[in-house]
Amino acid sequence: MVKVAWSTTHQEFIISDHYYFSKLQRYAKENNIHVEEVDEFEKFSQFDVIIFNYPEIPFKKEEVDFIEELVKKGKKVGIFAYYKNEDRIADTCNTMAERFGIKFNGDIITDDTNNYDNDNLLITTTKTSQKMKERGIEKVVLACTDSLTITGQNVMPMIYAEDTAKSLLGKEKILFARYEDPSGGCFIAGGTCVFWDNYSIDLYNNKQLSIQLLSHKK
């Protein structure tokens, strides 16, 4: 069984919020993934995967050092933001992500052509990595998403927006990216934190994406 720590240490969205995440909880359980809300940073070392879903409190240097050590020990860590730098979410996520060579741009991605329900903020894309396609993740919907800039080594894009999408800041349209550590650990950053909520998770291949992110596999 994979053990996932869902952080509440930095005022994140809680997975036990039934209205938003009851389906994610159920699907995780069905896939033999145990998800536990964790409110003490030191306990993360007891888990295979650590998730920060919309953290609202910036990370201290010693906390980032601790997470970096966990990644070097083979752990998987994910951090997920939102568009427009709402609540300074991009800035907050960057206090962690920039250590791994990934920067949240704090912009808005729209797509007038490839979207869900004729809403240009609910963008859809088929531009997933080859490894993701091999696992059945061929099309996803990413609502209200930020874009990412790769600034370091050993970082690969996981999901791009379609060519029809636009970045308000004119940035490259990388939406999810992964830092791979030589140890086998990894750090994943995503431009939106609501791709796995009850509204989105059953659309396209969002369920497969969600389970993949919670599993210990890369």
Side-chain angles (χ1 to χ4, degrees):
M1 176 179 286
V2 178
K3 293 179 62 180
V4 177
W6 188 282
S7 175
T8 60
T9 63
H10 284 67
Q11 216 167 300
E12 294 89 350
F13 290 154
I14 56 174
I15 192 172
S16 58
D17 186 320
H18 186 84
Y19 184 80
Y20 288 105
F21 295 114
S22 61
K23 290 181 180 179
L24 177 61
Q25 284 185 292
R26 184 169 79 247
Y27 295 152
K29 188 175 182 179
E30 289 172 356
N31 284 272
N32 204 32
I33 297 170
H34 172 75
V35 184
E36 183 177 329
E37 290 178 353
V38 177
D39 61 3
E40 295 179 44
F41 220 82
E42 298 74 22
K43 290 184 177 179
F44 291 148
S45 60
Q46 302 170 23
F47 294 82
D48 306 304
V49 180
I50 302 102
I51 299 294
F52 300 96
N53 205 53
Y54 201 93
E56 295 191 55
I57 300 171
F59 294 92
K60 301 174 183 176
K61 180 183 180 299
E62 53 268 31
E63 292 175 328
V64 182
D65 291 343
F66 183 68
I67 292 298
E68 185 177 27
E69 284 303 310
L70 292 184
V71 171
K72 288 180 178 178
K73 291 177 180 177
K75 306 289 187 182
K76 182 179 192 177
V77 178
I79 191 167
F80 305 97
Y82 207 52
Y83 75 154
K84 293 199 301 187
N85 204 11
E86 292 265 333
D87 299 328
R88 303 195 69 83
I89 184 63
D91 296 337
T92 298
C93 287
N94 282 335
T95 62
M96 172 80 73
E98 288 187 338
R99 176 71 66 89
F100 298 93
I102 303 171
K103 180 180 180 182
F104 290 85
N105 293 319
D107 66 351
I108 303 171
I109 303 294
T110 60
D111 196 324
D112 294 332
T113 303
N114 292 286
N115 61 58
Y116 178 72
D117 201 25
N118 202 31
D119 186 332
N120 71 359
L121 285 171
L122 307 184
I123 71 166
T124 60
T125 181
T126 58
K127 298 183 75 171
T128 60
S129 70
Q130 183 60 37
K131 184 178 289 187
M132 295 177 75
K133 289 186 186 302
E134 290 170 359
R135 292 174 176 164
I137 305 168
E138 297 187 356
K139 183 177 183 178
V140 294
V141 56
L142 300 175
C144 303
T145 187
D146 192 2
S147 69
L148 309 171
T149 297
I150 292 174
T151 61
Q153 302 296 313
N154 301 321
V155 181
M156 295 294 294
M158 295 173 65
I159 304 174
Y160 281 100
E162 299 283 359
D163 294 341
T164 49
K166 298 176 181 177
S167 160
L168 186 67
L169 298 179
K171 300 291 188 178
E172 186 178 7
K173 294 166 292 189
I174 300 170
L175 307 182
F176 276 58
R178 181 181 68 242
Y179 163 81
E180 292 190 11
D181 192 80
S183 68
C186 66
F187 179 90
I188 295 171
T192 176
C193 60
V194 294
F195 64 94
W196 46 14
D197 67 0
N198 285 351
Y199 182 83
S200 295
I201 197 167
D202 286 330
L203 299 176
Y204 307 110
N205 299 132
N206 280 42
K207 178 181 175 181
Q208 292 95 320
L209 172 63
S210 302
I211 296 303
Q212 175 62 30
L213 291 170
L214 293 181
S215 74
H216 198 214
K217 297 177 183 177
K218 289 186 181 179

